């Protein structure tokens, strides 16, 4: 049996890489940033991401968020949420806020969630699947001429038809005003509506206790160590680690991690969260 051996520090380097990927998303265009570029990217993007985060959910007419969209959640255009524009230097004034797809040639103008029927795409009333329709505004069917635009009668677990739901893009303040959870501020790209560990569960079974809670004094007073969240370390003296350390690691173990299914979003988030409450850095920044 083939055995994967990592050089000393190899596991940490893989971890570092996954962290890098969560933060940078697709913004490096597939070519790893140099350590300098990475630091520069974090300095420029993270404050903006924390201030201007947009939360995305798929909302039932009853007001329940039946789906909280995460980085890997597919759009009607078949691309993932993280492939859409999600970082804004200034939050757009107009509503609804449209998050266009960034994949070259994709006509998608605004992220649109479509539920799945198990692992299957749902059908339109024209009988064709969602992904047989054009992602351009109008959402007409590519497989027939009688379709006047995608319309799914699929019944969501909340009891309402899919077509009665809306993909909602809103700011933290807008969610807070409705008493909806916003979770903690995170430095990761395209977090969408993920606010807590149960965010990927369907709305009706989610017990969301992910609102902002005050971290403990002990936690806030503890010194920042090398094992801490990179966001904390950004504001420390320049970090000794860099994404380039990865070159010593066999890539075979990383490939599967890079194409993680949606369910792993929260597993990753939870692990990071348990290392340290992510909101604590905000307090640290003010010191
Ligand atoms: Zn697209
Ligand atoms: Zn799209
Ligand atoms: Zn159709
Ligand atoms: Zn059709
Ligand atoms: Zn629903």
């Amino acid at each position: 049996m083939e055995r994967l051996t990592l050089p000393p520090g190899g596991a940490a380097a893989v971890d570092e890489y996954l962290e890098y990927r969560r933060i940078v998303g697709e913004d490096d265009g597939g070519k790893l940033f140099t350590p300098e570029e990475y630091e520069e990217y974090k300095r420029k993007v993270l404050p903006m991401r924390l201030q201007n985060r947009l939360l995305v959910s798929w909302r039932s007419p009853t007001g329940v968020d039946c789906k909280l969209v995460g980085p890997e959640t597919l759009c009607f255009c078949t691309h993932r949420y993280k492939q859409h524009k999600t970082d804004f230097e200034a939050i757009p004034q107009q509503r609804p806020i449209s998050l266009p797809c960034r994949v070259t040639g994709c006509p998608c103008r605004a992220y649109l969630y479509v539920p799945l029927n198990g692992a299957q795409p749902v059908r339109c009333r024209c009988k064709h699947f969602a992904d047989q329709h054009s992602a351009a505004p109008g959402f007409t069917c590519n497989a027939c001429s009688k379709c006047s635009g995608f319309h799914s009668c699929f019944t969501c677990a909340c009891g309402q038809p899919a077509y009665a739901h809306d993909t909602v893009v809103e700011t933290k303040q807008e969610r807070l005003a409705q008493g909806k959870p916003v979770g903690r501020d995170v430095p990761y790209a395209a977090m969408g509506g993920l606010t807590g560990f149960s965010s990927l569960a369907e709305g009706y079974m989610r017990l969301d206790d992910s609102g902002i809670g005050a971290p403990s004094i002990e936690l806030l007073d503890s010194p920042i160590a090398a094992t801490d969240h990179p966001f904390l370390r950004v504001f420390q003296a320049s970090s000794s680690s860099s994404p380039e350390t990865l070159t010593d690691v066999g890539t075979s173990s990383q490939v599967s991690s890079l194409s993680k299914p949606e369910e792993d979003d929260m597993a990753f988030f939870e692990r990071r969260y348990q290392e340290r409450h992510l909101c604590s850095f905000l307090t640290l920044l003010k010191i």
Side-chain angles (χ1 to χ4, degrees), residues 1-21:
M1 187 193 284
E2 204 178 326
R3 204 160 65 91
L4 178 73
T5 49
L6 292 172
V14 171
D15 215 37
E16 188 88 13
Y17 179 74
L18 292 177
E19 187 78 14
Y20 167 90
R21 196 43 77 198

Side-chain angles (χ1 to χ4, degrees), residues 77-212:
C77 74
T78 72
H79 300 120
R80 296 182 187 278
Y81 178 66
K82 67 183 182 185
Q83 294 174 288
H84 293 69
K85 178 170 172 60
T86 57
D87 284 324
F88 288 86
E89 279 181 45
I91 290 176
Q93 294 299 309
Q94 89 282 1
R95 295 292 181 274
I97 298 172
S98 298
L99 307 177
C101 186
R102 296 187 297 166
V103 174
T104 311
C106 182
C108 170
R109 294 278 158 271
Y111 181 87
L112 181 68
Y113 176 73
V114 230
L116 290 172
N117 183 4
Q120 284 271 345
V122 295
R123 287 179 195 272
C124 174
R125 58 188 161 184
C126 76
K127 303 282 188 275
H128 296 114
F129 289 115
D131 59 7
Q132 291 176 286
H133 291 70
S134 165
F139 309 109
T140 51
C141 186
N142 296 325
C144 74
S145 53
K146 61 178 178 159
C147 178
S148 56
F150 183 77
H151 182 98
S152 171
C153 297
F154 173 75
T155 305
C156 173
C158 74
Q160 299 287 327
Y163 69 78
H165 292 66
D166 286 311
T167 300
V168 181
V169 181
E170 55 201 345
T171 64
K172 190 169 155 179
Q173 289 71 27
E174 286 164 350
R175 273 183 81 81
L176 286 171
Q178 299 168 72
K180 289 187 177 288
V182 295
R184 294 173 172 83
D185 294 303
V186 287
Y188 303 128
M191 284 298 283
L194 300 190
T195 58
F197 311 148
S198 58
S199 291
L200 291 174
E202 294 205 50
Y204 74 102
M205 48 190 300
R206 194 170 60 234
L207 292 172
D208 211 327
D209 58 352
S210 52
I212 295 175

